[in-house]
Amino acid sequence: QVQLVESGGGLVQAGGSLTLSCTASGRTFSRSPRAWFRQAPGKEREFVAAINWSGGSTYYTDSVKGRFTISRDSAKNTVYLQMNSLVPEDTAVYYCAARLGDVYRDSTMYGYWGQGTQVAVSS
């Protein structure tokens, strides 16, 4: 079965940084798009960033542009989310997702999900 595993979450003060990692099992996802979503307390799950595995095109939601960077390491089958200048509004559970085909910003288009990793930003 397909498995995505996230790591790197934690507690950080405002202005700090964290790097999240997502590793996919198997080689079937070696060229599959990857995305990060997050769900804050009392909020709907929202798109954060995505990357096309081949070509490396990236996409971001407006609230994280200039602060977050998504990247991938093909050899490790891993995608990263470097988060800088964190603010309390970034507090959420962050999920890694994958799908077959093109990148989408709609979470319902993704069929493969990790378990999530908690990011908490204190003021």
PDB file of all heavy atoms in Angstrom, residues 35-76:
ATOM      1  N   ALA A  35       2.003  17.660  -2.502  1.00  0.00           N
ATOM      2  CA  ALA A  35       1.451  18.899  -1.974  1.00  0.00           C
ATOM      3  C   ALA A  35       1.460  18.874  -0.456  1.00  0.00           C
ATOM      4  O   ALA A  35       1.473  17.810   0.170  1.00  0.00           O
ATOM      5  CB  ALA A  35       0.031  19.126  -2.486  1.00  0.00           C
ATOM      6  N   TRP A  36       1.456  20.062   0.120  1.00  0.00           N
ATOM      7  CA  TRP A  36       1.280  20.242   1.546  1.00  0.00           C
ATOM      8  C   TRP A  36      -0.030  20.972   1.798  1.00  0.00           C
ATOM      9  O   TRP A  36      -0.315  21.988   1.154  1.00  0.00           O
ATOM     10  CB  TRP A  36       2.423  21.053   2.166  1.00  0.00           C
ATOM     11  CG  TRP A  36       3.728  20.335   2.230  1.00  0.00           C
ATOM     12  CD1 TRP A  36       4.755  20.410   1.346  1.00  0.00           C
ATOM     13  CD2 TRP A  36       4.149  19.427   3.258  1.00  0.00           C
ATOM     14  NE1 TRP A  36       5.793  19.614   1.743  1.00  0.00           N
ATOM     15  CE2 TRP A  36       5.449  18.999   2.909  1.00  0.00           C
ATOM     16  CE3 TRP A  36       3.564  18.947   4.421  1.00  0.00           C
ATOM     17  CZ2 TRP A  36       6.170  18.100   3.704  1.00  0.00           C
ATOM     18  CZ3 TRP A  36       4.275  18.046   5.207  1.00  0.00           C
ATOM     19  CH2 TRP A  36       5.564  17.639   4.841  1.00  0.00           C
ATOM     20  N   PHE A  37      -0.803  20.443   2.719  1.00  0.00           N
ATOM     21  CA  PHE A  37      -2.013  21.075   3.206  1.00  0.00           C
ATOM     22  C   PHE A  37      -1.882  21.260   4.709  1.00  0.00           C
ATOM     23  O   PHE A  37      -1.050  20.622   5.355  1.00  0.00           O
ATOM     24  CB  PHE A  37      -3.251  20.229   2.891  1.00  0.00           C
ATOM     25  CG  PHE A  37      -3.584  20.148   1.429  1.00  0.00           C
ATOM     26  CD1 PHE A  37      -2.918  19.260   0.599  1.00  0.00           C
ATOM     27  CD2 PHE A  37      -4.554  20.965   0.879  1.00  0.00           C
ATOM     28  CE1 PHE A  37      -3.214  19.179  -0.747  1.00  0.00           C
ATOM     29  CE2 PHE A  37      -4.869  20.894  -0.469  1.00  0.00           C
ATOM     30  CZ  PHE A  37      -4.202  20.006  -1.281  1.00  0.00           C
ATOM     31  N   ARG A  38      -2.700  22.123   5.259  1.00  0.00           N
ATOM     32  CA  ARG A  38      -2.707  22.297   6.707  1.00  0.00           C
ATOM     33  C   ARG A  38      -4.126  22.535   7.193  1.00  0.00           C
ATOM     34  O   ARG A  38      -4.980  23.025   6.469  1.00  0.00           O
ATOM     35  CB  ARG A  38      -1.798  23.449   7.137  1.00  0.00           C
ATOM     36  CG  ARG A  38      -2.267  24.826   6.681  1.00  0.00           C
ATOM     37  CD  ARG A  38      -1.234  25.879   7.038  1.00  0.00           C
ATOM     38  NE  ARG A  38      -1.648  27.210   6.640  1.00  0.00           N
ATOM     39  CZ  ARG A  38      -0.879  28.288   6.739  1.00  0.00           C
ATOM     40  NH1 ARG A  38       0.362  28.187   7.224  1.00  0.00           N
ATOM     41  NH2 ARG A  38      -1.348  29.471   6.355  1.00  0.00           N
ATOM     42  N   GLN A  39      -4.334  22.174   8.433  1.00  0.00           N
ATOM     43  CA  GLN A  39      -5.634  22.379   9.049  1.00  0.00           C
ATOM     44  C   GLN A  39      -5.420  22.954  10.441  1.00  0.00           C
ATOM     45  O   GLN A  39      -4.876  22.283  11.321  1.00  0.00           O
ATOM     46  CB  GLN A  39      -6.436  21.083   9.121  1.00  0.00           C
ATOM     47  CG  GLN A  39      -7.867  21.282   9.572  1.00  0.00           C
ATOM     48  CD  GLN A  39      -8.745  20.088   9.246  1.00  0.00           C
ATOM     49  OE1 GLN A  39      -8.253  18.988   9.024  1.00  0.00           O
ATOM     50  NE2 GLN A  39     -10.043  20.306   9.206  1.00  0.00           N
ATOM     51  N   ALA A  40      -5.837  24.186  10.612  1.00  0.00           N
ATOM     52  CA  ALA A  40      -5.728  24.876  11.890  1.00  0.00           C
ATOM     53  C   ALA A  40      -6.966  24.609  12.727  1.00  0.00           C
ATOM     54  O   ALA A  40      -8.018  24.237  12.200  1.00  0.00           O
ATOM     55  CB  ALA A  40      -5.553  26.373  11.663  1.00  0.00           C
ATOM     56  N   PRO A  41      -6.860  24.803  14.038  1.00  0.00           N
ATOM     57  CA  PRO A  41      -8.029  24.595  14.898  1.00  0.00           C
ATOM     58  C   PRO A  41      -9.216  25.427  14.442  1.00  0.00           C
ATOM     59  O   PRO A  41      -9.103  26.639  14.244  1.00  0.00           O
ATOM     60  CB  PRO A  41      -7.528  25.050  16.270  1.00  0.00           C
ATOM     61  CG  PRO A  41      -6.054  24.827  16.219  1.00  0.00           C
ATOM     62  CD  PRO A  41      -5.669  25.166  14.809  1.00  0.00           C
ATOM     63  N   GLY A  42     -10.349  24.780  14.262  1.00  0.00           N
ATOM     64  CA  GLY A  42     -11.559  25.468  13.860  1.00  0.00           C
ATOM     65  C   GLY A  42     -11.607  25.892  12.410  1.00  0.00           C
ATOM     66  O   GLY A  42     -12.545  26.591  12.017  1.00  0.00           O
ATOM     67  N   LYS A  43     -10.631  25.476  11.617  1.00  0.00           N
ATOM     68  CA  LYS A  43     -10.575  25.873  10.214  1.00  0.00           C
ATOM     69  C   LYS A  43     -10.659  24.667   9.296  1.00  0.00           C
ATOM     70  O   LYS A  43     -10.426  23.525   9.709  1.00  0.00           O
ATOM     71  CB  LYS A  43      -9.275  26.640   9.930  1.00  0.00           C
ATOM     72  CG  LYS A  43      -9.084  27.902  10.750  1.00  0.00           C
ATOM     73  CD  LYS A  43     -10.092  28.974  10.380  1.00  0.00           C
ATOM     74  CE  LYS A  43      -9.824  30.259  11.140  1.00  0.00           C
ATOM     75  NZ  LYS A  43      -8.519  30.856  10.774  1.00  0.00           N
ATOM     76  N   GLU A  44     -10.990  24.938   8.032  1.00  0.00           N
ATOM     77  CA  GLU A  44     -11.000  23.895   7.021  1.00  0.00           C
ATOM     78  C   GLU A  44      -9.577  23.608   6.566  1.00  0.00           C
ATOM     79  O   GLU A  44      -8.683  24.441   6.691  1.00  0.00           O
ATOM     80  CB  GLU A  44     -11.852  24.327   5.825  1.00  0.00           C
ATOM     81  CG  GLU A  44     -13.315  24.568   6.142  1.00  0.00           C
ATOM     82  CD  GLU A  44     -14.024  23.297   6.532  1.00  0.00           C
ATOM     83  OE1 GLU A  44     -13.735  22.242   5.943  1.00  0.00           O
ATOM     84  OE2 GLU A  44     -14.869  23.358   7.435  1.00  0.00           O
ATOM     85  N   ARG A  45      -9.389  22.419   6.043  1.00  0.00           N
ATOM     86  CA  ARG A  45      -8.085  22.082   5.506  1.00  0.00           C
ATOM     87  C   ARG A  45      -7.801  22.949   4.277  1.00  0.00           C
ATOM     88  O   ARG A  45      -8.645  23.080   3.391  1.00  0.00           O
ATOM     89  CB  ARG A  45      -8.029  20.604   5.138  1.00  0.00           C
ATOM     90  CG  ARG A  45      -6.654  20.125   4.712  1.00  0.00           C
ATOM     91  CD  ARG A  45      -6.606  18.604   4.617  1.00  0.00           C
ATOM     92  NE  ARG A  45      -6.855  17.983   5.909  1.00  0.00           N
ATOM     93  CZ  ARG A  45      -6.739  16.681   6.134  1.00  0.00           C
ATOM     94  NH1 ARG A  45      -6.375  15.865   5.154  1.00  0.00           N
ATOM     95  NH2 ARG A  45      -7.003  16.199   7.341  1.00  0.00           N
ATOM     96  N   GLU A  46      -6.609  23.532   4.225  1.00  0.00           N
ATOM     97  CA  GLU A  46      -6.278  24.446   3.154  1.00  0.00           C
ATOM     98  C   GLU A  46      -4.976  24.072   2.469  1.00  0.00           C
ATOM     99  O   GLU A  46      -4.062  23.508   3.076  1.00  0.00           O
ATOM    100  CB  GLU A  46      -6.189  25.893   3.668  1.00  0.00           C
ATOM    101  CG  GLU A  46      -5.026  26.147   4.607  1.00  0.00           C
ATOM    102  CD  GLU A  46      -4.819  27.621   4.904  1.00  0.00           C
ATOM    103  OE1 GLU A  46      -5.279  28.472   4.116  1.00  0.00           O
ATOM    104  OE2 GLU A  46      -4.191  27.926   5.938  1.00  0.00           O
ATOM    105  N   PHE A  47      -4.901  24.430   1.212  1.00  0.00           N
ATOM    106  CA  PHE A  47      -3.709  24.222   0.419  1.00  0.00           C
ATOM    107  C   PHE A  47      -2.589  25.132   0.892  1.00  0.00           C
ATOM    108  O   PHE A  47      -2.820  26.302   1.207  1.00  0.00           O
ATOM    109  CB  PHE A  47      -4.023  24.506  -1.051  1.00  0.00           C
ATOM    110  CG  PHE A  47      -2.823  24.525  -1.948  1.00  0.00           C
ATOM    111  CD1 PHE A  47      -2.280  23.344  -2.420  1.00  0.00           C
ATOM    112  CD2 PHE A  47      -2.244  25.721  -2.322  1.00  0.00           C
ATOM    113  CE1 PHE A  47      -1.175  23.358  -3.251  1.00  0.00           C
ATOM    114  CE2 PHE A  47      -1.146  25.751  -3.150  1.00  0.00           C
ATOM    115  CZ  PHE A  47      -0.608  24.556  -3.614  1.00  0.00           C
ATOM    116  N   VAL A  48      -1.371  24.605   0.932  1.00  0.00           N
ATOM    117  CA  VAL A  48      -0.211  25.388   1.322  1.00  0.00           C
ATOM    118  C   VAL A  48       0.767  25.524   0.161  1.00  0.00           C
ATOM    119  O   VAL A  48       1.120  26.628  -0.244  1.00  0.00           O
ATOM    120  CB  VAL A  48       0.512  24.777   2.536  1.00  0.00           C
ATOM    121  CG1 VAL A  48       1.766  25.584   2.870  1.00  0.00           C
ATOM    122  CG2 VAL A  48      -0.420  24.719   3.738  1.00  0.00           C
ATOM    123  N   ALA A  49       1.209  24.400  -0.373  1.00  0.00           N
ATOM    124  CA  ALA A  49       2.201  24.408  -1.442  1.00  0.00           C
ATOM    125  C   ALA A  49       2.162  23.088  -2.184  1.00  0.00           C
ATOM    126  O   ALA A  49       1.707  22.078  -1.660  1.00  0.00           O
ATOM    127  CB  ALA A  49       3.603  24.657  -0.878  1.00  0.00           C
ATOM    128  N   ALA A  50       2.668  23.098  -3.408  1.00  0.00           N
ATOM    129  CA  ALA A  50       2.731  21.881  -4.203  1.00  0.00           C
ATOM    130  C   ALA A  50       3.916  21.950  -5.146  1.00  0.00           C
ATOM    131  O   ALA A  50       4.426  23.035  -5.440  1.00  0.00           O
ATOM    132  CB  ALA A  50       1.440  21.671  -4.995  1.00  0.00           C
ATOM    133  N   ILE A  51       4.326  20.794  -5.619  1.00  0.00           N
ATOM    134  CA  ILE A  51       5.450  20.720  -6.536  1.00  0.00           C
ATOM    135  C   ILE A  51       5.232  19.600  -7.536  1.00  0.00           C
ATOM    136  O   ILE A  51       4.790  18.511  -7.176  1.00  0.00           O
ATOM    137  CB  ILE A  51       6.785  20.525  -5.772  1.00  0.00           C
ATOM    138  CG1 ILE A  51       7.979  20.592  -6.729  1.00  0.00           C
ATOM    139  CG2 ILE A  51       6.786  19.212  -4.985  1.00  0.00           C
ATOM    140  CD1 ILE A  51       9.319  20.692  -6.008  1.00  0.00           C
ATOM    141  N   ASN A  52       5.504  19.887  -8.794  1.00  0.00           N
ATOM    142  CA  ASN A  52       5.560  18.847  -9.809  1.00  0.00           C
ATOM    143  C   ASN A  52       6.897  18.133  -9.686  1.00  0.00           C
ATOM    144  O   ASN A  52       7.948  18.774  -9.687  1.00  0.00           O
ATOM    145  CB  ASN A  52       5.434  19.444 -11.213  1.00  0.00           C
ATOM    146  CG  ASN A  52       4.014  19.797 -11.576  1.00  0.00           C
ATOM    147  OD1 ASN A  52       3.098  19.033 -11.316  1.00  0.00           O
ATOM    148  ND2 ASN A  52       3.834  20.953 -12.194  1.00  0.00           N
ATOM    149  N   TRP A  53       6.856  16.821  -9.561  1.00  0.00           N
ATOM    150  CA  TRP A  53       8.093  16.090  -9.361  1.00  0.00           C
ATOM    151  C   TRP A  53       9.033  16.248 -10.542  1.00  0.00           C
ATOM    152  O   TRP A  53      10.219  16.521 -10.376  1.00  0.00           O
ATOM    153  CB  TRP A  53       7.801  14.609  -9.103  1.00  0.00           C
ATOM    154  CG  TRP A  53       8.892  13.959  -8.333  1.00  0.00           C
ATOM    155  CD1 TRP A  53       9.909  13.206  -8.830  1.00  0.00           C
ATOM    156  CD2 TRP A  53       9.073  14.031  -6.922  1.00  0.00           C
ATOM    157  NE1 TRP A  53      10.723  12.793  -7.815  1.00  0.00           N
ATOM    158  CE2 TRP A  53      10.237  13.284  -6.630  1.00  0.00           C
ATOM    159  CE3 TRP A  53       8.372  14.646  -5.888  1.00  0.00           C
ATOM    160  CZ2 TRP A  53      10.705  13.150  -5.332  1.00  0.00           C
ATOM    161  CZ3 TRP A  53       8.849  14.503  -4.597  1.00  0.00           C
ATOM    162  CH2 TRP A  53      10.001  13.761  -4.336  1.00  0.00           C
ATOM    163  N   SER A  54       8.503  16.076 -11.724  1.00  0.00           N
ATOM    164  CA  SER A  54       9.274  16.314 -12.937  1.00  0.00           C
ATOM    165  C   SER A  54       9.140  17.775 -13.321  1.00  0.00           C
ATOM    166  O   SER A  54       8.039  18.293 -13.461  1.00  0.00           O
ATOM    167  CB  SER A  54       8.786  15.423 -14.075  1.00  0.00           C
ATOM    168  OG  SER A  54       8.954  14.054 -13.759  1.00  0.00           O
ATOM    169  N   GLY A  55      10.256  18.439 -13.474  1.00  0.00           N
ATOM    170  CA  GLY A  55      10.247  19.845 -13.821  1.00  0.00           C
ATOM    171  C   GLY A  55      10.396  20.758 -12.622  1.00  0.00           C
ATOM    172  O   GLY A  55      11.022  21.818 -12.725  1.00  0.00           O
ATOM    173  N   GLY A  56       9.818  20.367 -11.496  1.00  0.00           N
ATOM    174  CA  GLY A  56       9.989  21.125 -10.276  1.00  0.00           C
ATOM    175  C   GLY A  56       9.173  22.395 -10.154  1.00  0.00           C
ATOM    176  O   GLY A  56       9.486  23.241  -9.299  1.00  0.00           O
ATOM    177  N   SER A  57       8.137  22.569 -10.968  1.00  0.00           N
ATOM    178  CA  SER A  57       7.276  23.743 -10.840  1.00  0.00           C
ATOM    179  C   SER A  57       6.631  23.757  -9.464  1.00  0.00           C
ATOM    180  O   SER A  57       6.163  22.723  -8.980  1.00  0.00           O
ATOM    181  CB  SER A  57       6.201  23.742 -11.922  1.00  0.00           C
ATOM    182  OG  SER A  57       6.785  23.798 -13.215  1.00  0.00           O
ATOM    183  N   THR A  58       6.596  24.930  -8.846  1.00  0.00           N
ATOM    184  CA  THR A  58       6.062  25.057  -7.497  1.00  0.00           C
ATOM    185  C   THR A  58       4.869  25.998  -7.452  1.00  0.00           C
ATOM    186  O   THR A  58       4.730  26.899  -8.290  1.00  0.00           O
ATOM    187  CB  THR A  58       7.137  25.551  -6.520  1.00  0.00           C
ATOM    188  OG1 THR A  58       7.649  26.811  -6.977  1.00  0.00           O
ATOM    189  CG2 THR A  58       8.277  24.549  -6.435  1.00  0.00           C
ATOM    190  N   TYR A  59       4.035  25.803  -6.436  1.00  0.00           N
ATOM    191  CA  TYR A  59       2.822  26.576  -6.256  1.00  0.00           C
ATOM    192  C   TYR A  59       2.639  26.841  -4.770  1.00  0.00           C
ATOM    193  O   TYR A  59       2.924  25.979  -3.942  1.00  0.00           O
ATOM    194  CB  TYR A  59       1.604  25.812  -6.798  1.00  0.00           C
ATOM    195  CG  TYR A  59       1.803  25.282  -8.199  1.00  0.00           C
ATOM    196  CD1 TYR A  59       2.444  24.069  -8.419  1.00  0.00           C
ATOM    197  CD2 TYR A  59       1.359  25.997  -9.304  1.00  0.00           C
ATOM    198  CE1 TYR A  59       2.654  23.583  -9.701  1.00  0.00           C
ATOM    199  CE2 TYR A  59       1.556  25.521 -10.585  1.00  0.00           C
ATOM    200  CZ  TYR A  59       2.200  24.313 -10.782  1.00  0.00           C
ATOM    201  OH  TYR A  59       2.391  23.838 -12.054  1.00  0.00           O
ATOM    202  N   TYR A  60       2.153  28.037  -4.427  1.00  0.00           N
ATOM    203  CA  TYR A  60       1.979  28.418  -3.040  1.00  0.00           C
ATOM    204  C   TYR A  60       0.682  29.172  -2.839  1.00  0.00           C
ATOM    205  O   TYR A  60       0.225  29.895  -3.727  1.00  0.00           O
ATOM    206  CB  TYR A  60       3.117  29.327  -2.566  1.00  0.00           C
ATOM    207  CG  TYR A  60       4.489  28.708  -2.651  1.00  0.00           C
ATOM    208  CD1 TYR A  60       5.280  28.880  -3.781  1.00  0.00           C
ATOM    209  CD2 TYR A  60       5.002  27.970  -1.595  1.00  0.00           C
ATOM    210  CE1 TYR A  60       6.539  28.318  -3.861  1.00  0.00           C
ATOM    211  CE2 TYR A  60       6.259  27.408  -1.665  1.00  0.00           C
ATOM    212  CZ  TYR A  60       7.023  27.582  -2.802  1.00  0.00           C
ATOM    213  OH  TYR A  60       8.277  27.023  -2.876  1.00  0.00           O
ATOM    214  N   THR A  61       0.124  29.021  -1.672  1.00  0.00           N
ATOM    215  CA  THR A  61      -0.979  29.878  -1.295  1.00  0.00           C
ATOM    216  C   THR A  61      -0.411  31.242  -0.920  1.00  0.00           C
ATOM    217  O   THR A  61       0.733  31.353  -0.481  1.00  0.00           O
ATOM    218  CB  THR A  61      -1.778  29.268  -0.129  1.00  0.00           C
ATOM    219  OG1 THR A  61      -3.007  29.981   0.039  1.00  0.00           O
ATOM    220  CG2 THR A  61      -0.995  29.328   1.167  1.00  0.00           C
ATOM    221  N   ASP A  62      -1.200  32.288  -1.105  1.00  0.00           N
ATOM    222  CA  ASP A  62      -0.702  33.648  -0.944  1.00  0.00           C
ATOM    223  C   ASP A  62      -0.123  33.917   0.441  1.00  0.00           C
ATOM    224  O   ASP A  62       0.861  34.649   0.577  1.00  0.00           O
ATOM    225  CB  ASP A  62      -1.812  34.660  -1.238  1.00  0.00           C
ATOM    226  CG  ASP A  62      -2.159  34.749  -2.711  1.00  0.00           C
ATOM    227  OD1 ASP A  62      -1.357  34.280  -3.546  1.00  0.00           O
ATOM    228  OD2 ASP A  62      -3.227  35.303  -3.028  1.00  0.00           O
ATOM    229  N   SER A  63      -0.701  33.352   1.456  1.00  0.00           N
ATOM    230  CA  SER A  63      -0.292  33.667   2.816  1.00  0.00           C
ATOM    231  C   SER A  63       1.107  33.180   3.174  1.00  0.00           C
ATOM    232  O   SER A  63       1.678  33.633   4.166  1.00  0.00           O
ATOM    233  CB  SER A  63      -1.300  33.105   3.821  1.00  0.00           C
ATOM    234  OG  SER A  63      -1.335  31.691   3.776  1.00  0.00           O
ATOM    235  N   VAL A  64       1.672  32.275   2.383  1.00  0.00           N
ATOM    236  CA  VAL A  64       3.000  31.748   2.699  1.00  0.00           C
ATOM    237  C   VAL A  64       4.050  32.132   1.670  1.00  0.00           C
ATOM    238  O   VAL A  64       5.233  31.817   1.857  1.00  0.00           O
ATOM    239  CB  VAL A  64       2.984  30.213   2.868  1.00  0.00           C
ATOM    240  CG1 VAL A  64       1.918  29.801   3.866  1.00  0.00           C
ATOM    241  CG2 VAL A  64       2.781  29.506   1.532  1.00  0.00           C
ATOM    242  N   LYS A  65       3.662  32.805   0.619  1.00  0.00           N
ATOM    243  CA  LYS A  65       4.617  33.200  -0.412  1.00  0.00           C
ATOM    244  C   LYS A  65       5.704  34.090   0.187  1.00  0.00           C
ATOM    245  O   LYS A  65       5.430  35.019   0.927  1.00  0.00           O
ATOM    246  CB  LYS A  65       3.914  33.935  -1.547  1.00  0.00           C
ATOM    247  CG  LYS A  65       3.064  33.039  -2.423  1.00  0.00           C
ATOM    248  CD  LYS A  65       2.403  33.826  -3.542  1.00  0.00           C
ATOM    249  CE  LYS A  65       1.579  32.924  -4.436  1.00  0.00           C
ATOM    250  NZ  LYS A  65       0.880  33.679  -5.501  1.00  0.00           N
ATOM    251  N   GLY A  66       6.936  33.770  -0.150  1.00  0.00           N
ATOM    252  CA  GLY A  66       8.063  34.515   0.374  1.00  0.00           C
ATOM    253  C   GLY A  66       8.572  33.999   1.699  1.00  0.00           C
ATOM    254  O   GLY A  66       9.663  34.393   2.133  1.00  0.00           O
ATOM    255  N   ARG A  67       7.805  33.136   2.357  1.00  0.00           N
ATOM    256  CA  ARG A  67       8.217  32.590   3.648  1.00  0.00           C
ATOM    257  C   ARG A  67       8.476  31.089   3.583  1.00  0.00           C
ATOM    258  O   ARG A  67       9.369  30.595   4.266  1.00  0.00           O
ATOM    259  CB  ARG A  67       7.156  32.867   4.714  1.00  0.00           C
ATOM    260  CG  ARG A  67       6.890  34.347   4.958  1.00  0.00           C
ATOM    261  CD  ARG A  67       6.006  34.550   6.169  1.00  0.00           C
ATOM    262  NE  ARG A  67       4.689  33.944   5.995  1.00  0.00           N
ATOM    263  CZ  ARG A  67       4.183  32.996   6.784  1.00  0.00           C
ATOM    264  NH1 ARG A  67       4.889  32.548   7.815  1.00  0.00           N
ATOM    265  NH2 ARG A  67       2.970  32.499   6.563  1.00  0.00           N
ATOM    266  N   PHE A  68       7.674  30.380   2.804  1.00  0.00           N
ATOM    267  CA  PHE A  68       7.794  28.925   2.701  1.00  0.00           C
ATOM    268  C   PHE A  68       8.402  28.552   1.358  1.00  0.00           C
ATOM    269  O   PHE A  68       8.167  29.219   0.343  1.00  0.00           O
ATOM    270  CB  PHE A  68       6.422  28.249   2.811  1.00  0.00           C
ATOM    271  CG  PHE A  68       5.784  28.322   4.166  1.00  0.00           C
ATOM    272  CD1 PHE A  68       6.286  29.135   5.172  1.00  0.00           C
ATOM    273  CD2 PHE A  68       4.653  27.562   4.435  1.00  0.00           C
ATOM    274  CE1 PHE A  68       5.684  29.197   6.418  1.00  0.00           C
ATOM    275  CE2 PHE A  68       4.045  27.612   5.672  1.00  0.00           C
ATOM    276  CZ  PHE A  68       4.548  28.428   6.661  1.00  0.00           C
ATOM    277  N   THR A  69       9.153  27.462   1.348  1.00  0.00           N
ATOM    278  CA  THR A  69       9.736  26.943   0.127  1.00  0.00           C
ATOM    279  C   THR A  69       9.532  25.440   0.066  1.00  0.00           C
ATOM    280  O   THR A  69       9.904  24.726   0.997  1.00  0.00           O
ATOM    281  CB  THR A  69      11.237  27.253   0.036  1.00  0.00           C
ATOM    282  OG1 THR A  69      11.452  28.666   0.109  1.00  0.00           O
ATOM    283  CG2 THR A  69      11.805  26.736  -1.286  1.00  0.00           C
ATOM    284  N   ILE A  70       8.945  24.970  -1.020  1.00  0.00           N
ATOM    285  CA  ILE A  70       8.779  23.540  -1.218  1.00  0.00           C
ATOM    286  C   ILE A  70       9.853  23.058  -2.186  1.00  0.00           C
ATOM    287  O   ILE A  70      10.174  23.735  -3.162  1.00  0.00           O
ATOM    288  CB  ILE A  70       7.361  23.193  -1.732  1.00  0.00           C
ATOM    289  CG1 ILE A  70       7.149  21.677  -1.754  1.00  0.00           C
ATOM    290  CG2 ILE A  70       7.094  23.806  -3.101  1.00  0.00           C
ATOM    291  CD1 ILE A  70       5.702  21.268  -2.025  1.00  0.00           C
ATOM    292  N   SER A  71      10.408  21.905  -1.905  1.00  0.00           N
ATOM    293  CA  SER A  71      11.446  21.337  -2.757  1.00  0.00           C
ATOM    294  C   SER A  71      11.382  19.823  -2.672  1.00  0.00           C
ATOM    295  O   SER A  71      10.664  19.275  -1.824  1.00  0.00           O
ATOM    296  CB  SER A  71      12.834  21.839  -2.350  1.00  0.00           C
ATOM    297  OG  SER A  71      13.143  21.459  -1.021  1.00  0.00           O
ATOM    298  N   ARG A  72      12.116  19.167  -3.542  1.00  0.00           N
ATOM    299  CA  ARG A  72      12.117  17.710  -3.494  1.00  0.00           C
ATOM    300  C   ARG A  72      13.497  17.157  -3.779  1.00  0.00           C
ATOM    301  O   ARG A  72      14.325  17.794  -4.437  1.00  0.00           O
ATOM    302  CB  ARG A  72      11.072  17.124  -4.451  1.00  0.00           C
ATOM    303  CG  ARG A  72      11.528  16.771  -5.867  1.00  0.00           C
ATOM    304  CD  ARG A  72      11.798  17.964  -6.710  1.00  0.00           C
ATOM    305  NE  ARG A  72      11.718  17.649  -8.134  1.00  0.00           N
ATOM    306  CZ  ARG A  72      12.382  18.302  -9.071  1.00  0.00           C
ATOM    307  NH1 ARG A  72      13.168  19.334  -8.728  1.00  0.00           N
ATOM    308  NH2 ARG A  72      12.242  17.970 -10.339  1.00  0.00           N
ATOM    309  N   ASP A  73      13.732  15.958  -3.274  1.00  0.00           N
ATOM    310  CA  ASP A  73      14.955  15.214  -3.511  1.00  0.00           C
ATOM    311  C   ASP A  73      14.532  13.896  -4.139  1.00  0.00           C
ATOM    312  O   ASP A  73      14.034  13.008  -3.447  1.00  0.00           O
ATOM    313  CB  ASP A  73      15.717  14.992  -2.206  1.00  0.00           C
ATOM    314  CG  ASP A  73      17.062  14.329  -2.419  1.00  0.00           C
ATOM    315  OD1 ASP A  73      17.213  13.557  -3.380  1.00  0.00           O
ATOM    316  OD2 ASP A  73      17.967  14.582  -1.600  1.00  0.00           O
ATOM    317  N   SER A  74      14.720  13.782  -5.433  1.00  0.00           N
ATOM    318  CA  SER A  74      14.251  12.602  -6.149  1.00  0.00           C
ATOM    319  C   SER A  74      14.922  11.322  -5.666  1.00  0.00           C
ATOM    320  O   SER A  74      14.276  10.274  -5.570  1.00  0.00           O
ATOM    321  CB  SER A  74      14.487  12.782  -7.649  1.00  0.00           C
ATOM    322  OG  SER A  74      13.727  13.852  -8.160  1.00  0.00           O
ATOM    323  N   ALA A  75      16.206  11.398  -5.370  1.00  0.00           N
ATOM    324  CA  ALA A  75      16.941  10.222  -4.933  1.00  0.00           C
ATOM    325  C   ALA A  75      16.379   9.661  -3.631  1.00  0.00           C
ATOM    326  O   ALA A  75      16.410   8.452  -3.408  1.00  0.00           O
ATOM    327  CB  ALA A  75      18.420  10.542  -4.779  1.00  0.00           C
ATOM    328  N   LYS A  76      15.875  10.537  -2.775  1.00  0.00           N
ATOM    329  CA  LYS A  76      15.325  10.122  -1.494  1.00  0.00           C
ATOM    330  C   LYS A  76      13.809   9.996  -1.517  1.00  0.00           C
ATOM    331  O   LYS A  76      13.213   9.618  -0.508  1.00  0.00           O
ATOM    332  CB  LYS A  76      15.733  11.112  -0.404  1.00  0.00           C
ATOM    333  CG  LYS A  76      17.225  11.195  -0.174  1.00  0.00           C
ATOM    334  CD  LYS A  76      17.545  12.196   0.920  1.00  0.00           C
ATOM    335  CE  LYS A  76      19.037  12.273   1.167  1.00  0.00           C
ATOM    336  NZ  LYS A  76      19.371  13.253   2.230  1.00  0.00           N
TER     337      LYS A  76
END
